[in-house]
Amino acid sequence: MPHVISQDGTRIAYTKTGSGPAVVLVDGAFGHRGFGPNVDLAPVLAESHTVYAYDRRGRGDSGDTQPFSQTREIEDLEAVIAEAGGTSDASGPVAVYAISSGAPLALDAAQAGLPISKLVVYEAPFVVDDSRKPIPDDFLARLNALIAQDRRSEAITYFMTKGVALPGVFVMLMRLMPAWSKLKKVAHTVPYDVAGLGDTGAGKALPAGRWADGKVPTLVVAGGKSPKWMQNAMTALADVLPDARHRTLEGQMHIVKAKAIAPVITGFVDD
């Protein structure tokens, strides 16, 4: 199994497909090389680009060295980018696409100076106004407590209802579906995503300085059929980034279709 070694010694598994300019895919919560919307995206992008899909720590075939910190996840992404050909002068040929809670990880990586040529983010789950209830102040603490007790289904339900704002009835139906068991396998990594969000779910303006030094050209994308709070968040994100464009992808929701987002990604990173 191809892998890179992160700075703390953690093995990070990845798959390389296609040929052409390099694009690294960063998953959101629960996602990895075998699960989530990026699974379908990788082969579509591989028709014209070299695609690096990797398992974030604790998922799939990657390790999970403790203690966790957001810095470790940035170092994991840095190792994958280096494998893809990224250079230390921050002008390397490696683009990054990040979806959902993978977006703040990629934004933080750009802020840290990783050699990312261009960045595309799709629907970071920020809450920037009163268009939905804010994420509870004790959200991360309660998730950690549920995971510590191995109450994985309860942790997922709490995350989906209070974090993602899905109706409780919908989440109850999800528990009857085969995908629920896949969610449970990686439920222990959900607090990692929440930690990366910081206070961006509090229902207030995004912190203007968090990504002020991230000069990477960035395309911020929202789905035209996604909830208003997600669309508002992406408008707000584009406004605070130093070099950003904003686009609404009509007809798409949070689980974006590969054939819809792929040309958006390639059109931006190849421009």
Side-chain angles (χ1 to χ4, degrees), residues 184-248:
K184 287 178 65 175
K185 286 182 180 179
V186 293
H188 60 285
T189 66
V190 172
Y192 302 173
D193 290 89
V194 176
L197 290 173
D199 62 355
T200 59
K204 57 187 180 182
L206 292 173
R210 178 168 172 179
W211 302 297
D213 296 329
K215 308 299 185 183
V216 175
T218 302
L219 178 64
V220 178
V221 188
K225 294 179 68 176
S226 290
K228 190 65 176 178
W229 66 269
M230 283 189 170
Q231 297 188 42
N232 293 352
M234 293 305 89
T235 300
L237 176 61
D239 286 343
V240 302
L241 294 178
D243 184 2
R245 305 179 199 174
H246 178 270
R247 176 168 176 175
T248 298

Side-chain angles (χ1 to χ4, degrees), residues 31-121:
H32 52 85
R33 289 176 303 145
F35 183 75
N38 284 347
V39 173
D40 291 334
L41 177 61
V44 179
L45 287 178
E47 294 173 4
S48 58
H49 291 71
T50 303
V51 180
Y52 289 79
Y54 77 103
D55 293 336
R56 289 174 58 183
R57 64 173 51 209
R59 311 179 193 186
D61 295 311
S62 288
D64 193 19
T65 306
Q66 297 297 312
F68 170 82
S69 77
Q70 178 74 348
T71 299
R72 301 288 85 79
E73 284 236 77
I74 293 172
E75 292 168 354
D76 300 344
L77 179 54
E78 182 177 27
V80 177
I81 289 174
E83 182 71 14
T87 58
S88 60
D89 63 1
S91 61
V94 178
V96 171
Y97 167 72
I99 186 170
S100 194
S101 53
L105 169 57
L107 291 164
D108 287 347
Q111 171 74 7
L114 268 62
I116 299 170
S117 58
K118 289 188 178 179
L119 173 61
V120 180
V121 296

